[in-house]
Amino acid sequence: MFNLLLPVIMIAALFMLFRSNKKRQEQSKEMRSAMEPGSGVRTIGGMYALVKAVNEETVELEVAPGVVAHYTKSAIAAVLDPQEYDAIINGRPEEEELAELDESEEETADEKPLSLDKSVSDKKDVSGSDGTDGETPATK
């Protein structure tokens, strides 16, 4: 019985493996077809750049202002949304993060502000009983 079941399991596993690889390839192809001049991308090496031109097999990426490099389309790991690209490149928080920051600012606005005034009466007296202000006497 086990001898008959093992080949069926192996065939099913291979089918699932090939199917997931095919799906992944299709998703990559769709993502790369969404590239157009002006969109932000991340390469497989982790570099962020702007697409300047899309050719048949290559992509021209502006890696720095005025610096354009040619990459194969397969070197593109992700095409980014304009807001996401701007947040990564310019260090601006995304809209969701901005909403969280606004909420935390509202919560802290209700709290009593800290005072740097030294005349506050609830401070501890750190002076020693001998009037030396807690300092150790200098040895002579």
Side-chain angles (χ1 to χ4, degrees):
M1 169 92 172
F2 184 72
N3 292 338
L4 296 174
L5 191 58
L6 185 61
V8 172
I9 292 173
M10 297 267 299
I11 291 172
L14 286 173
F15 175 75
M16 296 295 281
L17 180 69
F18 289 130
R19 181 170 168 83
S20 65
N21 282 341
K22 188 174 182 179
K23 277 187 175 181
R24 191 175 308 118
Q25 286 175 349
E26 288 176 8
Q27 288 174 344
S28 296
K29 190 175 182 180
E30 288 175 14
M31 182 258 319
R32 290 186 184 108
S33 68
M35 280 189 298
E36 56 186 28
S39 59
V41 296
R42 183 181 69 238
T43 66
I44 56 175
M47 182 179 62
Y48 294 92
L50 279 175
V51 176
K52 285 298 176 185
V54 180
N55 304 320
E56 194 170 316
E57 293 293 321
T58 62
V59 180
E60 294 177 22
L61 300 179
E62 184 176 35
V63 295
V67 179
V68 178
H70 294 268
Y71 284 83
T72 62
K73 285 185 177 180
S74 62
I76 305 302
V79 178
L80 307 172
D81 296 327
Q83 295 88 5
E84 183 182 6
Y85 179 78
D86 188 48
I88 292 169
I89 297 301
N90 298 319
R92 296 183 182 131
E94 293 187 34
E95 292 175 10
E96 296 170 358
E97 294 173 358
L98 285 175
E100 291 175 6
L101 288 174
D102 289 342
E103 290 174 6
S104 65
E105 286 176 3
E106 289 174 4
E107 291 173 2
T108 57
D110 296 338
E111 296 176 3
K112 192 174 186 180
L114 295 175
S115 173
L116 298 177
D117 188 16
K118 291 185 178 184
S119 65
V120 178
S121 62
D122 63 345
K123 283 191 170 185
K124 258 189 190 178
D125 183 21
V126 293
S127 64
S129 60
D130 57 351
T132 60
D133 291 334
E135 296 177 3
T136 58
T139 59
K140 294 182 183 179

